[in-house]
Every structure is written in structure tokens, then in C-alpha cells.
Amino acid sequence: MREPEIAVTFEPQGKKVFVLSGTKIIEAAALAGAALNLPCGGQGTCGKCKVRVVDNPCDPTDTERKTLDREELDSGVRLACQSCICASTTIDIPETSLLASSYQVLSAVDGGIVGDVNPAVRKQYVELPKPSRDDPAADLERLYGALGVFTADLALARALPARLRTWDFRGTAVRADHQLIDFEQGNTERQRYCVAFDIGTTSVVGSLLDLESGRECANTSRMNPQTRFGDDVLSRILRAREQDDGAADLREVIVAEVNEMILELLDQAGVPKERVYEAVFAGNTTMQQLLLGLDTAALGEVPFVPVTARGQLLAAAAVGVAIHPRGRVYVFPVIGGFLGGDTVAGILATDLENCPTPTVFVDIGTNGEIVLSYDGQMLAASTAAGPAFEGARITHGMRAVEGAIEKVIFDGDARVNIIGNVSPIGLCGSALIDVAAELRRHGMLMREGLLLAPEHLPADLPEAIRKRVTKTDNGVAFLLASANESGTQAPIVLTQGDVRELQLAAGAVRAGMSILLRRAGLKVEQLGRVLIAGGFGNFIRRSNAQCIGLLPSGLDHHRLAFVGNTSLAGARMAAISQTARACAEQLARRIKRIDLSLDPAFQAEFVNAMTFPSIRPEE
Amino acid sequence: MREPEIAVTFEPQGKKVFVLSGTKIIEAAALAGAALNLPCGGQGTCGKCKVRVVDNPCDPTDTERKTLDREELDSGVRLACQSCICASTTIDIPETSLLASSYQVLSAVDGGIVGDVNPAVRKQYVELPKPSRDDPAADLERLYGALGVFTADLALARALPARLRTWDFRGTAVRADHQLIDFEQGNTERQRYCVAFDIGTTSVVGSLLDLESGRECANTSRMNPQTRFGDDVLSRILRAREQDDGAADLREVIVAEVNEMILELLDQAGVPKERVYEAVFAGNTTMQQLLLGLDTAALGEVPFVPVTARGQLLAAAAVGVAIHPRGRVYVFPVIGGFLGGDTVAGILATDLENCPTPTVFVDIGTNGEIVLSYDGQMLAASTAAGPAFEGARITHGMRAVEGAIEKVIFDGDARVNIIGNVSPIGLCGSALIDVAAELRRHGMLMREGLLLAPEHLPADLPEAIRKRVTKTDNGVAFLLASANESGTQAPIVLTQGDVRELQLAAGAVRAGMSILLRRAGLKVEQLGRVLIAGGFGNFIRRSNAQCIGLLPSGLDHHRLAFVGNTSLAGARMAAISQTARACAEQLARRIKRIDLSLDPAFQAEFVNAMTFPSIRPEE
């Protein structure tokens, strides 16, 4: 019943994704974070989404034969909106086929050069005049002459005179803003690195960047070790507030994990710690405050007040981050208690404010953050969407880790794909959406969320699927894996209760989106694009998300773009560019925060959004 | 033979000094740091130096009877240039009799208000709007709203949310520049203090200042504990360079002493440590660098290069100074290796750059620093004058501490005064000058520095004085205290060799002054004033210093003013005024440093200056 996924590598980004056979190329490219041009709306008539399938191209469709010429077809050129993946392959995406703003994100995630490389940390090799009776100026004045005035901490000022004399008044000055971070032997101008981190509630992703080129040298990801103190944000806030040393424990484990990840990054790239001068962090407000050891108590209750809204530039030593001893830490600005640095980083990475048409950015993680950009304005809201999509409150729900069913397709029977190709032990958010969408399409799930009992199922339903529907004490359930197939020796099912949770979660996101659109005086149809961010967002199927009403169904399919881990992408941009950092600060201040619970229309929108969209006209 | 000194208290400054009977009031006032008006040159004709002798006024002189009216004379008014001290008393100095610029110094030293009170540290009591759903702004944004934007260190940011909530969003913000130093419970606006220190090679003086009024609340002084590692600057530089942990040892003892002094100051005034937000330090370049733990090796050899020339603003915690944990340390800018923060502070305190006539500032400590201000320009030089005046290389020389003969007057016999009224154990710099001057006046010491043998002494010399001259293997010597009188059970003498050392020291200062005047194209007679600073300068007698050529004899006596510890006075000004601090930085950069050893005329001037000035026309 399990079908292995097919590996597809997209070039020049070098990003590899795994998809089921028959997936459209454009969908696979979206999984890889690349949004392609689709001015004709995926009709295959404009030829703007051309790609070249290097190995094993499928036979061209009739549409492709009309739109592409013989030579193109022979060399493997296909239309991404028409051609499918039929075997493991590599696909070249010409830059002309990429949507500009999505390219930015893609390259930020995958090691390309992003915008300007304009880091805060600068290096300059100097050869200073040596002191003499005619020139007995102070050591620091000598350096000011070459570099301009700066400040230096005592430890460095103490070491400087001996270094200058041992190295014959030559060396490389490392500065950030007006601070001298170090004075190094010889010319080390080209050895200049920083690290960027996305600190998620569930996972932590880190990247080592070369500040000369702006390129990524290494990357790594881990579970957030704070999960041992609680799965979600609120449980950690409670832990920090209620336990002795709770805040210190939470801070210590994340700082230690970050430091281990830095060691791993340095090891991968062969870079010494002393050459890493900055660390940039983006995360939700709680994760950022826990990292800094800031009091999170006020984030745990109405009105969810953060300690600081602006980005924080701090001594790495004070934070405990093990880079250069005089290195610095930059933590992203936040919009509010539930609109954190990860959202700001995402807006920065997608260049949301400059989108030419009204655009919604939605990050479906533990919470669902939604930002609407239109007419030079931005509205943002946070919804409590997350727990269901991350497995909480779902009978066999789990996070997208090994053993999770992460994809479900009804094809005569229910085909499932499991992360790590092991026996399944539960289902994660994307599978939850898949199965609900397939149940809807097959007439097994009503608009109001009722799972039909076996006796009410449509007559034309394949028998294999029909057999999966059972009645239990808690209502109807749908079998995804039998006790024999399951890694837990117990059946894995979707229950009526699970569907309710899904309705609540999807409804919250959709209602939030509706409120923002209403505030802006816009209709869904006027949206140029919907950008879906987050590790989770990478793996959900757009059509299914629309089918269950998580994403608006009034939109052309191609206007929905997956933009990947934009929190990390934004952190990386801020790491290599002061301009990006200044832009993040401005964004965080400019965005108008909407408290959905204060909007009188929210409850009605929410109830409305909990009803699944109709599939057939008569529904 | 020992005559006790008489106590004189000057009001309104409240400064008490001790002088021998018969000392002119103007001289006693100078000892107290108060320079009086003397437009008539001390002839007693202008009446501008009027003072009121509260108790025991001497009988008025004929001159006073002419210049002052009956009523004045009856109420104790006298002319400071005419009247002497004949008994213990209190003397009122009306402000009209004080020279403006000296008043500034005097009051700085003695607790008055100096210039503008404009401290870097500001306090502001705030009552912030409390967070609500309509106003969920971050805690720091709430404070920015009331105070403007600032930076706060992590420790404070960690504590802030709980404080705000416990104190109902009310409290006092303490800021310096753009840094939030603390947020205190209740309204503490009026509790704002700092400390100012003069770190001398030999002694350390500290002052606690109320930043509301600018007034001194307490003061204390101690020996510099580094003297145990070496008496002078060079021996400490060697110690720091040659010994393992030498620099650390030197740093630790001075920081510990400063911290003990701070505790004493706080105890005197009943002020808690947490209300002291800044500590300001002025000292010579080596003392300042040792305090900060900066490498002093380059100060020990040509071309005597300091680590830093600009003033340093540092975290008190980094320096180790025990004030408020987020308090700051300001260390004075220096002009060069041997023209340190003490000289800059002195120039600041005496407002030297704004003197209307050409003025020399001379600080005779371990080194002799000389600054000439004229026509809006300033020249500065340092001479190796000091060791003799501080007792080094003098047979029975010692510093001005208990047991030192500090004053000598020939009055039929040699009368001496001893610090602490104990048996004498040596002589300090002021006594060295006194005895040499008296020997010159009595024809016992030739211009070239030869002490006459008993057989060549003038015929009219009092017998008691003649008997003190003896011949030894090392030439002629003059007896100051016999073995019976001495606290060491050995005679205390001035030797021919001691006179040579005095000639070298005085010659260096005079030659330095001559070179600066020559560079400026000025003659001694054009000098409006010579300001003599330093603890030492307080106790030398101007006439005697002129007699031996330490101070220029071509000047009217009243143009020589003692200005006291101007290093502390300048430190205090910088402590209570940002304007003064900015001024100090500008001064240190504006002053032109003259390297005397590079001046081709210096050697000739030096040899010339070693010859004592003539006393009688035939000499």
C-alpha cells in the first residue's frame, strides 16, 4: 500500500524533493520553494513555465506539443504546469521561468546570493606607521587614523599594544558598527562568517554564512530541546513562570543546543569559531525571549505583552552564544506577543511589502500567522490554528517526524506515504489535510464535518475504501493503517473528533484571512498571491488545502506558492545585510496588528469558515 | 627649636590650613587654594584684597590705616597683602576679593558648585500606561514612549517585566547617554551620586558628589598602594612588564583601594552603593593605564606611547569599580605618555585656555608638567623634575608624610616644622626648597650651587646658624636636626649632593618653562600668572621657590598662585558635567605637546637654569 517517493533535484538551486509519481512538475517545484510564472493560469498556452527535464522526461502532452517546438521537446523541455514527474530526475529551472520574489526566498534558503551583501561586520587589513619621537601618538589613535574612531572593550584594549608590537603594527581590524571586535594577525579579510538561526517551537535550523559572498557554507537542524519541558509555547511559559529556575533551564537547553549546532556547522565547513562574528536569530516571540532569558510571564496571559518589540543587538557572550568572544547576537524585532520575529523574517524574505498585487503571507506552524499586504499597507493577525496541524488533539496525530503518515491519496484504495519509509505510527498535519480532502471528494464527509456511516456512503465508492469506514462508540472512523500494518500494533484511524479539530484549525486560519481582507476592503478574488510558509507549508498539497477550506478556494491554483522556511531565509538576509536588518525593524513597526478576538465579525467568520467549501453544485 | 603651626580657617570655603606665625594672610590664603586680587602688586594701596579677620587680628599697619577706614579696621578688616597671621583665627574672604578663575578651583576642591551641573546620568520618575488589549505594546516600547529610545543590558531587561508589574508600572528610570542603567522603585530622582578620583603616583584622593547639586558629600585620601611595588612610575612599569601577573597585581591593589575608599565615602555620607552611577578618574598616563589593566610597557621607553589618548567610558563592572552594577567609569583623556589625565584635569579646572593673559600652569609632582596658554593656544611639556621634590636621591629626603621636616625658616637659628609634630626623620620637597633659599639669602650657598665651607661663611652670620655647617668626606653639609633631636637617632643634614639634585630638578622645570615661552615668543615678564598645582605645590613658599629658580623670579610675587589639587578638581568637574567632559576631550586634542629633548635649545636652557638666580647685584 505504501508507495516510495521519487527524488527530483531542481537546478541551479540544487534542492532535492521527494514526490509521488504523477505529481505535476510545478507542484514539485513549489515543494522545493520555487514558484514559477503562470500568466495563463496553468492552461499550458503561454509557455512561461518552461523547464528542462534532464533525465526521464514524460512524453509530452498534446498541449505541450502545440506550445513547444520540436527541438525543445527533444532536449527535454516541458511545461511545468502540464508535465508530471514519472521517474527520478533532475530538472533545470531557467531564471526566466521563476517568479522574481519567490526566487529571492528560494535562493535565500538554498545558498544563493540574496540581495546586497552588506554585513554589519567589516574587516580591514592595515599597516600602521610605527611610533617614533616625531610620532608618539597613542596606539588607539594610530588605529583611528587608519579606520576612523571606534570603541574597544577593555579585554581587547589590554591585548592590543603587545599585538601591535609583535606583529610589527600590521594586522586585520574587525569592526561592527563603531566597535572594534578584534585585531587579527596578518590579512584575514576574506575570513568572515556568521550564523543564522530559525528557532522554532518544535525545530531549530541553523546556517553558516560566508560574509564575503553571502553564501551558505553549512546547515543543520535539530529538535528544539525545550520540547522536553512542553510541546507548545504556553506550556513553556508556564514552566518558566511556575518552576524554580524554570526560565534558566529553558534558556540553558536552547543555548546549549545552538552552541552544539554551531560546532557542527563549523566542523562541516572547517571554519574556526573565532572567525564567526555574529549570530542572528528569528523565532516566535516566546522562543526569542526564552533564548535571551527574558521574562515570558506576560506572554502567557491577555494582552500577551512582549518585553521588547525592537530587534536586540547584544554581546554574544552575554547571551551565551559560543562564537567570537566579542561577537554579537542580533535577535529579530517582533510585531507583538503572537506575531514574532519569525513572521517579520518571513515578510522580509518574501519582500511582501513590495508585492505588486494584494498578497497574503500565511505561516502555518504552531500558530497560524497571517499578513496581508496591499496598497503599501500591511495587516497582521495571529490565530490559534496550530495544535491540530502539528498533531495535538488528533487521536493518532503526531509531528512530521519519522513514522508519520504524511501523504494520503485515494486511488481505488488509500495510498499513504510514511516519513522514513518505516511502519506508520500516526499521521501528521499534511496527511490530516489529505485524507479529509479525499473524504470530501469521495462524498464521505459532509460540508458541516459529518463523517458518513458505512450505510450512507456513496454507491460508487471503491470497495477497498468503503471497507475502511467503521462505526465506533465515538462515531464514525476512517482506517489509515491496520493493526498489522501499523508500527504500534494498533490501527491508525481518523475519527469524527479529529475532523472537528481540523475544522477548528482550518476555520481559524480562513477566518483570520477573511477578517484581514474585510479590513482592507478586498475580496479573495482580488488576491494576487497567497504565500504559504513554514516547514509544514512545504508539504501540504495546495488543492487539498483548498478543498478543506484552509486556503481560499476562490483563487487560481497557481496563485498559491510555497515559500519554505522564510524565518530562516529572513534571518540569513539579516545576517549578511545591514540593509535587510534595518528593513526588518521598519517592517515590524509599520505592520498594523489586528487582534482578531476584538473584531466583532470574527466569531461569525469563524463559524462560517468551519464549514468545508462545497465541491459539487448541489452541496 | 620646633615651632607649632597656627590653624587658620578660611570662610566661606571652610578650608583649614596651618602656617607659621608671621605668615602673610595672602600666603596662607594661597595655601588654602584661594588666590586673591592684587592689582597694585601687594603695595597695600588698592584695597582689593580685603579680608575680615574674625578672631585675633594683628594690629593694622600704617599702610592699612591709610587704605582702610576706621569702621573697617575696628571690625577686623585687613589687607591680605599686608597683615600677618599672629594667632589661630578664622578669616572671611569676601567673593569680591577672590580672583575668578582661582575661585573656580578652590570651590571645586572644597565642595562648592562648579560651573554648570550637567551630569551624564539622568533620572526620571515615570508612571506608564498599563497594558491592555487595546494597548499591548512591549514593556520596553512603553518605556520608550516616556523616555525616548535607549539600550538596556540583558540583566536589566530580564528583571524589568516583573518590576514593572510589581510596582504598578511606576518607577524611576536612570539613564546615561542612551543606556538605561536601572529602573528603581518609587521616585528616587533626587538620589543621584558619583565619585571622582585623583589617582596620583603617591596618593589617591576621592570625593563623593551629589549630582543634584554638584556638591561634595564626602572626601578621603590614601597612599597609592602600588607604592609597595615601586615608588615611581618607571619602577611600576618595569614591575608590570617583568613580573608574572605584575600588571594584574598592580591593577588589583589600586582597584581594591579605590573600592575601599568608595565604601568609606558612602559610609561618611550615608549613601548606598546602588545610587552611585559613575566614577571619574584622573591621573598620570601610567596610573590611568594601570587602573584599567592596560599594557604600560610602551610607556617605559622612548617614545613613551600610551594605549589610548581619548577619555575612556567603560562599564564599572569591567573595570572592577564597586558602584552601581551597571554604573560607568570615565577615565580622563591624556595628551601623551608623560602628559596625562591629571594635567588635562588641571587645565580644565583652572580654565587655562580662557586666561586673558599668557599663563603658565605647572604641576610639580613626580614629574613636572608645564602648560603655557597664550593667544588661544596651548603648549605643554613634561620634565623629569620630580624625584628630588618627592625625596628621591636626597640624602635624608622623604615624601611629605609624618616625620618629614616640611618648612624651614632662618630666624637667628634654623626653625623647622615637622608634619605630625613628631621627631623629624627626614625632609620633604618644600623643606628642601626652604633651606636652599635661606642658605642663598644668608650667603652660604653660591649661585653655581657650592655650599660654602665654615671658613668661608659670611662674617655677619648668626652663630647658631654658622655652627650647623660642617665638613664631611662628601663635602660641606648643613645640619637640620641633630642626632638628639632626630627621630632616627642620626643627624638630618642637607649635603652638597642634595643641592646638586635640587639644581637638576628646579633647572628642569625652569628650562621647560623657558622653552615653552621661547616657542610662544614670550618673555617671563609677559606672563599674567603662574598657577602652581599639586599637593606639593600647596606647601611650597613662593618666595623661596623663586629664590632657588624653580619659579621665575622676573614675576611679581602675586602673580604666582597656588591652585591646589587641580587633578581632583577637574575630575569633579567632569563628574558633574558632560560639558566639562567634552571640554576635557577637546583640550587634550588641542594642546600642542613639546618634546623638550628634541628642542635644540633645551640643553643650554637647562644648564643656564641650574644656576641659582642672583640675590645681590654683585653676584
Side-chain angles (χ1 to χ4, degrees), chain A residues 7 15 92 454 493 553:
Chain A
K15 174 102 182 191
D92 281 339
V493 296
S553 48

Side-chain angles (χ1 to χ4, degrees), chain A residues 286-301:
Chain A
T286 305
M287 291 309 112
Q288 291 191 170
Q289 290 195 187
L290 288 175
L291 175 75
L292 297 181
L294 296 175
D295 191 337
T296 51
L299 287 173
E301 53 197 32

Side-chain angles (χ1 to χ4, degrees), chain B residues 385-559:
Chain B
F389 294 125
E390 297 203 330
R393 301 199 204 116
I394 303 298
T395 311
H396 295 116
M398 63 184 292
R399 285 192 302 271
V401 294
E402 189 174 90
I405 298 173
E406 60 100 13
K407 186 177 290 188
V408 182
I409 293 177
F410 285 10
D411 184 15
D413 193 0
R415 290 195 290 152
V416 304
N417 193 274
I418 297 118
I419 295 175
N421 271 338
V422 296
S423 295
I425 55 175
L427 76 164
C428 71
S430 55
L432 181 66
I433 293 168
D434 283 351
V435 67
E438 292 289 33
L439 291 170
R440 283 285 296 140
R441 288 196 191 95
H442 287 76
M444 301 165 75
L445 174 59
M446 299 292 96
R447 285 194 67 191
E448 295 72 22
L450 185 73
L451 276 176
L452 292 183
E455 60 271 27
H456 299 126
L457 291 173
D460 59 350
L461 198 65
E463 194 55 26
I465 291 177
R466 179 187 301 273
K467 277 160 102 179
R468 291 176 176 271
V469 180
T470 55
K471 262 182 153 168
T472 71
D473 290 349
N474 296 317
V476 176
F478 182 81
L479 185 77
L480 286 162
S482 66
N484 284 342
E485 293 163 335
S486 152
T488 62
Q489 281 77 52
I492 296 170
V493 297
L494 179 85
T495 69
Q496 179 63 63
D498 296 342
V499 173
R500 294 293 178 212
E501 289 293 338
L502 175 64
Q503 284 177 287
L504 285 167
V509 172
R510 278 287 295 121
M513 220 179 284
S514 297
I515 294 294
L516 294 195
L517 287 168
R518 186 191 287 244
R519 290 281 184 110
L522 292 171
K523 295 193 183 311
V524 165
E525 293 72 24
Q526 292 174 276
L527 285 175
R529 306 193 74 201
V530 174
L531 306 176
I532 302 135
F536 173 84
N538 263 339
F539 299 104
I540 63 174
R541 267 135 311 265
R542 287 178 284 190
S543 53
N544 289 349
Q546 287 184 302
C547 181
I548 63 149
L550 172 61
L551 296 176
S553 47
L555 275 190
D556 287 346
H557 192 208
H558 74 273
R559 296 198 181 181

Side-chain angles (χ1 to χ4, degrees), chain B residues 112-443:
Chain B
I113 296 169
V114 184
D116 56 335
V117 179
N118 168 29
V121 175
R122 288 160 298 143
K123 283 195 155 190
Q124 188 176 340
Y125 174 71
V126 293
E127 301 193 349
L128 304 171
K130 287 173 212 169
S132 65
R133 287 216 88 130
D134 289 330
D135 174 17
D139 289 348
L140 283 175
E141 291 296 326
R142 215 164 282 280
L143 272 167
Y144 297 156
L147 303 168
V149 178
F150 53 78
T151 60
D153 80 350
L154 258 185
L156 182 55
R158 285 171 183 163
L160 202 56
R163 288 192 199 173
L164 285 173
R165 283 159 185 83
T166 310
W167 301 337
D168 220 21
F169 287 86
R170 289 190 286 241
T172 304
V174 189
R175 280 173 299 162
D177 299 327
H178 297 295
Q179 189 203 347
L180 185 70
I181 289 182
D182 213 342
F183 188 78
E184 298 170 342
Q185 185 170 18
N187 187 337
T188 62
E189 279 182 348
R190 301 188 68 88
Q191 298 164 38
R192 188 165 54 129
Y193 299 87
C194 77
V195 287
F197 278 86
D198 162 46
I199 308 284
T201 308
T202 305
S203 60
V204 181
V205 191
S207 174
L208 175 69
L209 301 162
D210 181 340
L211 290 176
E212 283 298 299
S213 63
R215 288 189 177 274
E216 182 175 79
C217 310
N219 65 66
T220 182
S221 69
R222 306 257 183 114
M223 280 279 284
N224 186 328
Q226 292 173 341
T227 47
R228 93 171 73 121
F229 300 114
D231 261 8
D232 58 14
V233 161
L234 200 62
S235 61
R236 294 188 209 165
I237 292 172
L238 284 173
R239 168 94 190 187
R241 195 175 64 190
E242 305 298 340
Q243 299 263 324
D244 288 346
D245 301 322
D249 290 347
L250 285 161
R251 191 183 78 79
E252 280 160 22
V253 296
I254 183 65
V255 168
E257 194 75 27
V258 161
N259 286 339
E260 276 186 30
M261 291 172 76
I262 291 174
L263 283 180
E264 192 187 320
L265 292 169
L266 296 174
D267 196 48
Q268 276 182 42
V271 167
K273 184 173 79 170
E274 289 68 26
R275 294 291 188 260
V276 180
Y277 306 101
E278 281 199 330
V280 172
F281 295 92
N284 64 54
T285 309
T286 304
M287 290 309 110
Q288 291 191 168
Q289 290 194 188
L290 288 174
L291 176 74
L292 298 181
L294 295 175
D295 191 336
T296 51
L299 287 173
E301 52 198 33
V302 175
F304 312 111
V305 176
V307 175
T308 169
R310 302 184 192 217
Q312 297 289 304
L313 192 60
L314 299 159
V319 181
V321 173
I323 55 173
H324 187 288
R326 273 177 299 279
R328 313 192 304 175
V329 157
Y330 177 72
V331 179
F332 258 72
V334 307
I335 305 163
F338 281 102
L339 288 161
D342 48 358
T343 303
V344 176
I347 298 166
L348 177 71
T350 54
D351 197 18
L352 194 66
E353 67 174 340
N354 295 316
C355 285
T357 51
T359 301
V360 163
F361 169 86
V362 52
D363 188 351
I364 305 170
T366 306
N367 287 296
E369 292 93 13
I370 306 162
V371 186
L372 169 62
S373 167
Y374 68 103
D375 270 355
Q377 297 179 61
M378 282 188 283
L379 305 179
S382 170
T383 65
F389 294 125
E390 297 203 330
R393 301 199 204 116
I394 303 298
T395 311
H396 295 116
M398 63 184 292
R399 285 192 302 271
V401 294
E402 189 174 90
I405 298 173
E406 60 100 13
K407 186 177 290 188
V408 182
I409 293 177
F410 285 10
D411 184 15
D413 193 0
R415 290 195 290 152
V416 304
N417 193 274
I418 297 118
I419 295 175
N421 271 338
V422 296
S423 295
I425 55 175
L427 76 164
C428 71
S430 55
L432 181 66
I433 293 168
D434 283 351
V435 67
E438 292 289 33
L439 291 170
R440 283 285 296 140
R441 288 196 191 95
H442 287 76

